[in-house]
Amino acid sequence: MTHLPRIGRRSFLLGLSALAMSANARLAVAATAGTSQAEDGRLVVVILRGAMDGMAVLAPYGDARYRELRGPIALPEPGQEGGLLDCGGFFGLHPRLANLHGYYREGAVLPIHAVAGPYRNRSHFEAQDMMESGAPERLTSGWLNRALESLPNVPSDRPEVGLAVGLDLPLLMRGPRRVGMWAPPRPVRPPPDLYARMAETLHADPLLGPAVLEGLRGRGYASSVLMEEPQRGGGFMALAASAGTLLAAPHGPRVAALEIGGWDTHADQPRRLEPVLGQLDDGLAAMRAQLGEVWDRTAILVMTEFGRTARVNGNNGTDHGTGGAAFLLGGVVRGGRVLADWPGLSEDRLFEKRDLQPTRDLRAIAKGLLRDHLRLPASAIAAAFPGSSGVDAEDGLLRS
């Protein structure tokens, strides 16, 4: 059994000085610049929990059946008051996605429609597990964590290559590769001496000892990088902005994951969807702002567990469906177009006569990013998505 060496109380208190946000507390890992890792690409995955309605967010207004199926929740066409933001003459973004539409016009957003993973049974929990595990069955680890296993370990004075931003560690980031976690500090913090006493007590525990050390190391790094940022409080925009800052730091993590809920819109969908779309749009804009020039080396995949019914229900909402929408954005993305093999909305083209028929596989999009952006070997991609040999990586997602 391997135990950690005892860490003295004084040493721990000195280490915790990095958490104190004093002018001299900046860690060496944040002050050193100009290495090859700093030149590497960044990948962010944003999970939309609750099943976003892809036909509301990226409306196929050019389909003859769109208004018939959507009824009162159909959005006005581009050019009309409160109308869709046009994406090529057939699809239109929800008007609350003005920032995203601006990036689309720059060529930095690739909306993807009629897309889904391999799951077809419309249970939130099962679908989320399979979307994050990357397999047609439930696993205890996530595809992004397993993919990171092929990357070399980082020196002990640097943050882990993967970072989960938020209060929970999503399944996507669980697995054999150790990753960091960061969440906004609470208004009331425990005294530093408490951490020292925890470390003193737990240092010999083979499980808790390394976990405490890793937590403090990651927290010290994050504090040193974020020390000059304004306090933003909670919410997705704050998380996204801080994620951008951490990813942009020299030697910062290369991969991050975060999530936003509120997409389960069975009733009163137009009123409920607009604020959460606003959070997403504002958050992505805040992340871009904090990424600075690193935006040019970044790809952000925004995905949800499944789509919703093609037809509006009796409560001005939509129910659990199948095919949905995803977004890929960032400076490396070959955007300014919609990626879709549009199946059509006629009755015989709907999945089980109720859902948008999925014609693309989310795993192909993720595989394309792992191969072409993180430049992972085929063996790592196969380990990330077991049982998917028939799903090829999507070509042409990135600028050449």
Side-chain angles (χ1 to χ4, degrees), residues 48-63:
L48 311 179
R49 296 201 184 278
M52 177 186 72
D53 179 16
M55 284 181 51
V57 176
L58 183 62
Y61 73 88
D63 192 297

Side-chain angles (χ1 to χ4, degrees), residues 16-343:
L16 286 171
S17 66
L19 306 179
M21 300 189 178
S22 66
N24 296 321
R26 189 179 295 272
L27 297 181
V29 293
T32 308
T35 70
S36 58
Q37 187 184 4
E39 300 301 318
D40 290 333
R42 302 295 196 261
L43 174 63
V44 182
V45 178
V46 179
I47 301 171
L48 311 179
R49 296 201 184 278
M52 177 186 72
D53 179 16
M55 284 181 51
V57 176
L58 183 62
Y61 73 88
D63 192 297
R65 287 204 77 205
Y66 165 69
R67 297 198 175 280
E68 175 188 341
L69 291 172
R70 288 274 142 164
I73 67 170
L75 289 164
E77 295 203 358
Q80 299 180 12
E81 183 178 356
L84 294 159
L85 306 172
D86 191 41
C87 295
F90 187 88
F91 298 103
L93 284 172
H94 190 285
R96 188 55 184 84
L97 295 175
N99 288 313
L100 211 60
H101 189 245
Y103 306 154
Y104 173 88
R105 296 171 66 180
E106 292 175 14
V109 169
L110 179 65
I112 305 160
H113 219 327
V115 67
Y119 180 74
R120 294 290 182 270
N121 291 334
R122 306 186 185 97
S123 161
H124 287 302
F125 302 111
E126 290 178 348
Q128 289 177 22
D129 280 356
M130 293 180 195
M131 175 181 66
E132 295 179 67
S133 66
E137 58 185 355
R138 280 178 159 165
L139 301 176
T140 57
S141 61
W143 62 262
L144 191 51
N145 184 291
R146 295 194 300 274
L148 296 180
E149 270 217 288
S150 66
L151 294 177
N153 290 324
V154 295
S156 60
D157 62 344
R158 295 183 184 175
E160 297 295 343
V161 68
L163 176 70
V165 181
L167 296 175
D168 297 319
L169 180 63
L171 175 60
L172 181 72
M173 293 291 272
R174 297 179 198 166
R177 179 71 188 239
R178 194 163 62 185
V179 299
M181 285 187 67
W182 181 85
R186 297 179 178 179
V188 179
R189 302 181 186 184
D193 187 58
L194 176 61
Y195 294 116
R197 283 185 275 125
M198 285 174 55
E200 184 75 8
T201 303
L202 299 173
H203 84 281
D205 188 294
L207 294 177
L208 295 179
V212 170
L213 279 179
E214 179 56 28
L216 291 170
R217 181 163 75 100
R219 183 168 178 171
Y221 169 78
S223 296
S224 68
V225 173
L226 299 174
M227 62 186 298
E228 295 176 358
E229 281 205 318
Q231 295 295 312
R232 298 188 178 95
F236 180 76
M237 191 172 80
L239 289 180
S242 295
T245 302
L246 291 165
L247 288 164
H251 304 299
R254 291 185 61 190
V255 173
L258 59 164
E259 58 191 47
I260 172 175
W263 302 93
D264 199 9
T265 51
H266 288 280
D268 199 11
Q269 178 169 296
R271 186 185 65 80
R272 295 178 58 192
L273 197 56
E274 185 161 330
V276 74
L277 281 172
Q279 291 179 47
L280 177 65
D281 194 60
D282 294 344
L284 292 173
M287 184 184 293
R288 176 177 179 168
Q290 295 306 116
L291 282 168
E293 62 183 22
V294 175
W295 166 261
D296 293 336
R297 306 197 304 271
T298 298
I300 304 170
L301 174 61
V302 182
M303 63 181 189
T304 191
E305 65 261 35
F306 48 63
R308 306 191 73 83
T309 47
R311 184 175 285 103
V312 64
N313 64 24
N315 296 314
N316 270 3
T318 53
D319 300 319
H320 299 178
T322 307
F327 293 97
L328 187 60
L329 64 152
V332 300
V333 172
R334 190 165 74 86
R337 59 197 173 105
V338 175
L339 183 63
D341 296 320
W342 187 244

